Structure formats: structure tokens, C-alpha cells
């Protein structure tokens, strides 16, 4: 398959994934599809409002998902400025393709956690988040608790 054909395929898959995410969101389902007995567990820290940074995290999460499929439980924990990735109307200009990619990953079971403390500081409510987001009380606490459950922690 040549490069233009692959790009077309990936665009189609991203669009299809976004449609699946919308269907899942309409059912208000925010938990991942993974079982507690997944072999691999990883939590990504997302705490910067930078489009290159968002792209790197989402690309890495997608690669882990592609390699391990249902054998990996993946969480992206968004807090501080990183919460804008999950905002319906973010205060930072988030590239639409990043929110589309997040939606697609969520459709395949990647969990996106939103820090309640950061939401309070921004004056945001649940309605200000993309529908696949799951609110946690404290983003840093979320990461700590996931690590205590055996999740590998990844940040850059």
C-alpha cells in the first residue's frame, strides 16, 4: 500500500472511530472496555497545553493500543493546562485533529480522565467536557492511585 492510500485509510479509520465515540458518548459510557486482567497497564500524564505535546501523547497511546489491543489498559490523565484537550470550548486553541484522535481512541477503550480540581479552577462543569471524559477528583491523585494498581507511568 503506498503512502497516499495509507493516509486515506487512516483518515477513514479516524472518522469511523469518531463516529463510534459519538455513539458511545450518547450512551454516557465513560469506562474503558478493558478487563481488570489486562496484561499491560499504562497511564499518561497530560498536563501541558501544547499541540505538539498532545499529538505525542495521543500518538503514543494509539501505538500502544495498536500493538497490544485488548491486552493493555490505557488511561490519559488530563490536569492543569492539559485539561484543555478534553474541553468542548477549550481556553487554549487545541487542534481539532487532536480532539478527533482522542475521541477515536476513547471509542477503542482508552480512558480520558479529567481533573475535577482543574475544572473548578476554570469554572467548568461536566457539560464543558467532551462526552467521553471521566471526571476524577484530583489528577495527580488519579495517577498515584493508578500506579498503586500497577500502571506504568509515562510523562514527557
Amino acid at each position: 500500500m503506498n503512502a497516499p492510500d495509507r493516509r486515506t485509510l487512516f483518515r477513514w479509520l479516524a472518522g469511523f472511530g469518531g463516529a463510534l465515540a459519538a455513539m458511545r458518548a450518547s450512551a454516557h459510557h465513560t469506562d474503558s472496555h478493558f478487563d481488570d486482567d489486562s496484561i499491560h497497564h499504562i497511564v499518561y500524564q497530560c498536563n501541558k497545553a501544547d499541540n505538539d505535546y498532545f499529538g505525542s501523547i495521543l500518538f503514543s497511546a494509539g501505538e500502544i493500543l495498536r500493538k497490544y489491543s485488548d491486552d493493555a489498559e490505557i488511561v490519559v490523565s488530563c490536569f492543569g493546562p492539559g485539561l484543555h484537550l478534553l474541553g468542548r470550548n477549550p481556553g487554549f486553541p487545541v487542534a481539532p485533529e487532536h480532539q478527533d484522535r482522542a475521541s477515536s481512541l476513547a471509542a477503542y477503550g482508552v480512558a480520558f480522565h479529567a481533573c475535577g480540581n482543574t475544572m473548578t479552577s476554570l469554572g467548568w462543569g461536566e457539560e464543558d467536557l467532551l462526552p467521553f471524559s471521566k471526571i476524577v477528583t484530583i489528577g495527580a491523585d488519579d495517577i498515584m492511585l493508578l500506579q498503586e494498581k500497577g500502571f506504568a507511568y509515562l510523562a514527557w
Side-chain angles (χ1 to χ4, degrees):
M1 183 180 286
N2 64 36
D5 290 339
R6 277 193 301 265
R7 280 188 218 115
T8 301
L9 174 64
F10 287 131
R11 283 187 194 121
W12 182 85
L13 287 173
F16 180 71
L20 285 175
M23 288 187 296
R24 281 188 73 197
S26 68
H28 300 294
H29 184 91
T30 57
D31 295 335
S32 72
H33 73 278
F34 302 106
D35 295 328
D36 289 338
D37 63 350
S38 295
I39 297 169
H40 307 285
H41 303 84
I42 187 167
V43 57
Y44 289 88
Q45 173 179 306
C46 180
N47 68 333
K48 298 177 191 168
D50 175 88
N51 279 300
D52 290 338
Y53 177 75
F54 291 149
S56 295
I57 290 172
L58 296 170
F59 177 79
S60 180
E63 289 299 297
I64 294 293
L65 181 64
R66 186 171 62 154
K67 180 173 182 179
Y68 295 105
S69 187
D70 287 342
D71 288 334
E73 184 169 359
I74 304 165
V75 175
V76 179
S77 186
C78 300
F79 58 94
L83 184 65
H84 292 283
L85 174 65
L86 303 179
R88 287 186 190 265
N89 297 300
F92 171 82
V94 177
E97 61 266 19
H98 296 319
Q99 289 187 324
D100 290 344
R101 183 178 285 171
S103 178
S104 179
L105 289 169
Y108 287 98
V110 175
F112 287 84
H113 293 183
C115 174
N117 278 351
T118 304
M119 291 175 62
T120 298
S121 72
L122 294 172
W124 286 10
E126 185 175 357
E127 67 281 357
D128 295 305
L129 295 175
L130 296 174
F132 55 84
S133 306
K134 178 183 178 185
I135 300 170
V136 296
T137 306
I138 305 167
D141 179 61
D142 182 46
I143 290 173
M144 178 188 71
L145 294 173
L146 289 168
Q147 284 184 283
E148 289 173 357
K149 287 180 163 182
F151 278 68
Y153 167 67
L154 190 62
W156 62 96

